[in-house]
């Protein structure tokens, strides 16, 4: 079946608008990482994964762990768009008593695990992938990590285990936007040797333009076709992607837009959404 990449591109910008609204309304959030990871989540949920509100509580569906849990606004936006909960719920984000808190909360329909304590998602995903292989379900497990997160030792314990068990139903995605809260990744903890590191642990290593839906979709198809080892997709992204004054700016890791910045950002995202449909 031919895929409608034009619609997928437009949806990515619509999802960014939802995330922008959430951060602006709540006066808290991680908008830079939301915008870099948005295309990854969009392609996974709308082109690759077998997971819906109807099958989420049944065995055998595909799994998504957002290990970089601080980008929860992007995840909530995608889940809302997929029908896991009404859009009005997003208005309660980070409000007192709301279950829509600032990191993934498994009390929210569609969220697999509480995450955001960085470095845990890959290890949990290894366990999930092992369980689904034992069950013979055919379900796939995806884990999305930030590149700054790869400084955590537990990531490499998970990588070692994933390679050891040859988990071909496991796909890790690195949101490689090259910025973290304290600056550029290569200054904080250099990691341009990622290919060699993952390969040494027995992983199939792929690269993709992380803000390009067709490239991501092709990489995930390649990961699905790989047998005998897990796959990591190193997705080269731009932090703050989609809003010109936010792109590649470390300050937007955790910054709330002013009224004027919100209006400018929303106008730019709407223009780009519309341009995808022309």
């Amino acid at each position: 079946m031919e895929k409608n990449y034009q619609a997928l591109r437009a949806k990515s910008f619509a999802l960014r608008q939802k995330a922008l609204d959430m951060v602006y309304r709540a006066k808290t959030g991680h908008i830079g990482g939301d915008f870099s990871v948005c295309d990854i989540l969009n392609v996974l949920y709308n082109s690759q994964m077998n997971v819906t509100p109807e099958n989420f509580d049944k065995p055998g569906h595909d799994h998504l762990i957002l290990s970089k849990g601080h980008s929860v606004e992007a995840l909530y936006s995608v889940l809302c768009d997929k029908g896991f909960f009404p859009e009005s719920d997003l208005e309660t984000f980070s409000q007192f008593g709301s279950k829509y808190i600032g990191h993934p909360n498994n009390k929210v329909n569609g969220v697999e695990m509480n995450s955001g304590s960085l470095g845990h998602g890959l290890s949990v995903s290894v366990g999930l992938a092992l369980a689904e292989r034992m069950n013979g379900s055919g379900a796939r497990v995806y884990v999305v990590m930030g590149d700054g997160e790869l400084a955590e030792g537990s990531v490499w314990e998970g990588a070692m285990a994933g390679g050891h068990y040859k988990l071909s139903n496991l796909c890790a995605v690195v949101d490689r936007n090259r910025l973290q809260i304290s600056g550029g990744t290569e200054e904080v903890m250099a990691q341009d040797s990622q290919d060699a590191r993952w390969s040494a642990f027995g992983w199939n290593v792929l690269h993709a333009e992380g803000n390009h839906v067709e490239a991501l979709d092709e990489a995930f198809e390649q990961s699905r076709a790989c047998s005998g080892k897990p796959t990591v997709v190193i997705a080269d992204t731009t932090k703050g992607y989609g809003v010109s004054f936010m792109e590649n700016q470390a300050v937007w890791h955790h910054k709330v837009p002013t009224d004027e910045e919100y209006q400018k950002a929303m106008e730019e995202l709407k223009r780009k959404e519309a341009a995808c449909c022309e």
Side-chain angles (χ1 to χ4, degrees), residues 6 11 31 45 58 62 78 94 112 137 145 158 180 185 199 202 204 210-211 216 219 236 247:
Q6 185 181 43
K11 186 180 288 291
I31 205 163
Y45 275 95
K58 298 178 176 62
D62 290 341
V78 173
S94 282
E112 295 273 2
S137 69
M145 299 178 289
Q180 55 193 97
T185 56
S199 295
N204 173 39
N211 297 124
L216 286 167
D236 294 306
E247 291 184 353

Side-chain angles (χ1 to χ4, degrees), residues 139-157:
R140 293 185 61 75
V141 179
Y142 297 89
V143 54
V144 179
M145 299 178 289
D147 50 5
E149 178 179 358
L150 268 60
E152 298 280 354
S154 52
V155 169
W156 301 105
E157 293 181 44

